Amino acid sequence: MPQDGDLAGELRLRDGHMRALTDLRLSVTDRCNYKCVYCRTGNDGAQFSELPIEDYARILRVFVSLGIEKIRLTGGEPLLRNGLLDLVRETAKLRPAFSSEPLDIAITTNGHLLAGLAKPLKEAGLSRITISMDAVDPETFTRITRVPGGFQKVRDGIRAAQDAGLGPVKINCVLLRGFNDTQIEAFAEFSRREQVIVRFIEFMPLEEDRTWSPETVVPMKEIVERLNRVRPLVALAPNHVSETARRFTFDDGLGEIGIIAPVSEPFCGHCSRVRLTSDGKLRTCLFSQSDHDLIGLMYRGASDDEMSSWIRQIVQHKEARHHIGEPGFLKPSRSMVHIGG
Ligand code: SAM
C-alpha cells in the first residue's frame, strides 16, 4: 500500500514492489572524451545516439508530472552535449507534482570541461554536481582515463564548481584493484583538505569489455578498515531512506566519505530510480536485460497522458534487485556507456 497515505501517495509513480520512484537518470549523450578502463573500450563507433534536446525536455516534463523529484543528467559525458544549458534551464522551470520542495537537478560529469561551464550551469538552475575522479595523483589518473592532460582540468573544474556555489561537490571514485586501490588514504586527505565529499564506488560488471571479476572489486569492508587507519571514522545518518552511500566523517569532523557498495552490500530494496538512455529507452534497472521504447511511443504521436500511462505500466515490472555475484548472473543488455551512470 502507498505509504504516504494520501492522494499524492496513491498517484505517485510506484513499481510493482510498491517502491516510490522519485529519481530519474537521463543520459544526454553516449559520447565521452575519456576512455576509463572500467567503462569503455575507447573504440567508439562513428554513430552516437542522442535525441534532440526538446525531446529530452518533454520526457522530463512527463516524468516530473508522475512524481519524479530528482533528475540526474549523465552520459557519456554530459558536458559534451550541445544544448545542455537549455535543457537545465527548461528543467528548472518544472515543479515536482507531489512535493513542495524545488526539483533537484544534478549532473554527473568527468569535469574535463567544467571550468568554463560551472557558473553557466548554476545560473541555468543546476542544484548539485558530482565529479568523477578516480585518482588524486596525475599519473594514476591518466592510466585510468587513458587521455593525457585531464587531471589539471578536472582539478580546475572542481574549484570552478565550488566558486559557482555548486558545493558541497561530490567526487566519485570507482575503485579497481591493481589500478587505484592505492589511492584510498590520499582521497581521505583530499576530502579533508578540499572540502569535498569523496564517494568510493564498488566496481560493477557494466563495462564494455570484460575487465570485471570479483577480485577486481575493492569491497566496502576493506575501504572502511583502511580509512579507519587514517583516522577513526564516525558514521553519519543517511540523508534519505533511498540514499545509496553509507556516509562517514572522521573523529575530528573534518571531511566526508561515502561508500557505495552495490556489489558487497546491495541496496536494491530501497531503489527509487528509473533511467532513460540517450536513445530514449526507459530502463528500469542498471542490470535490466531489455529496455522499453519510450521515444518510439512518443514519435508515434502519443500524448503526455498516454506516455504517462505507458510508463506506469512498464515500471510495474521493475526488477526487485540485481544478481551480481550470484550463480547464473547475466551481464546487462547494455553497458554503462549507453545506460548512463
Ligand atoms: N562521464 C560522466 C562521468 O564520468 O561522471 C558521467 C557518466 S559515468 C558512466 C557516471 C558514473 O558511473 C561515473 O562516476 C563513473 O565512474 C561510474 N561508473 C562507470 N562505470 C562503472 C562501473 N563499471 N562500476 C561502477 N561505476 C561505474
Side-chain angles (χ1 to χ4, degrees), residues 165-306:
L166 286 167
V169 168
K170 286 184 185 160
I171 305 291
N172 274 359
C173 167
V174 178
L175 285 172
L176 248 80
R177 196 168 309 280
F179 270 93
N180 62 347
D181 52 332
T182 51
Q183 300 281 299
I184 294 174
E185 293 77 5
F187 264 116
E189 295 303 337
F190 188 74
S191 166
R192 294 163 61 77
R193 188 176 68 242
E194 302 291 330
Q195 295 172 342
V196 293
I197 301 170
V198 170
R199 301 174 351 141
F200 295 111
I201 306 177
E202 289 177 350
F203 180 30
M204 293 180 277
L206 287 164
E207 74 288 13
E208 258 188 326
D209 50 17
R210 300 270 157 185
T211 38
W212 192 91
S213 70
E215 295 71 41
T216 55
V217 179
V218 183
M220 164 135 109
K221 189 166 172 286
E222 180 178 334
I223 304 170
V224 167
E225 279 168 11
R226 285 182 46 187
L227 290 170
N228 256 319
R229 276 183 241 135
V230 175
R231 275 196 85 99
L233 283 175
V234 177
L236 295 171
N239 287 316
H240 194 270
V241 64
S242 64
E243 183 159 68
T244 52
R246 297 277 188 87
R247 300 169 59 229
F248 301 91
T249 184
F250 293 93
D251 61 346
D252 60 358
L254 260 191
E256 183 175 331
I257 306 289
I259 305 178
I260 303 177
V263 180
S264 70
E265 301 205 17
F267 35 79
C268 304
H270 294 295
C271 186
S272 56
R273 295 180 183 176
V274 280
R275 294 182 150 81
L276 194 82
T277 60
S278 59
D279 57 354
K281 307 287 187 331
L282 175 57
R283 204 172 164 88
T284 50
C285 171
L286 267 178
F287 294 92
S288 292
Q289 291 300 325
S290 60
D291 296 320
H292 305 275
D293 191 11
L294 179 55
I295 198 65
L297 181 78
M298 185 169 126
Y299 286 168
R300 288 194 296 278
S303 65
D304 287 6
D305 282 348
E306 285 164 342

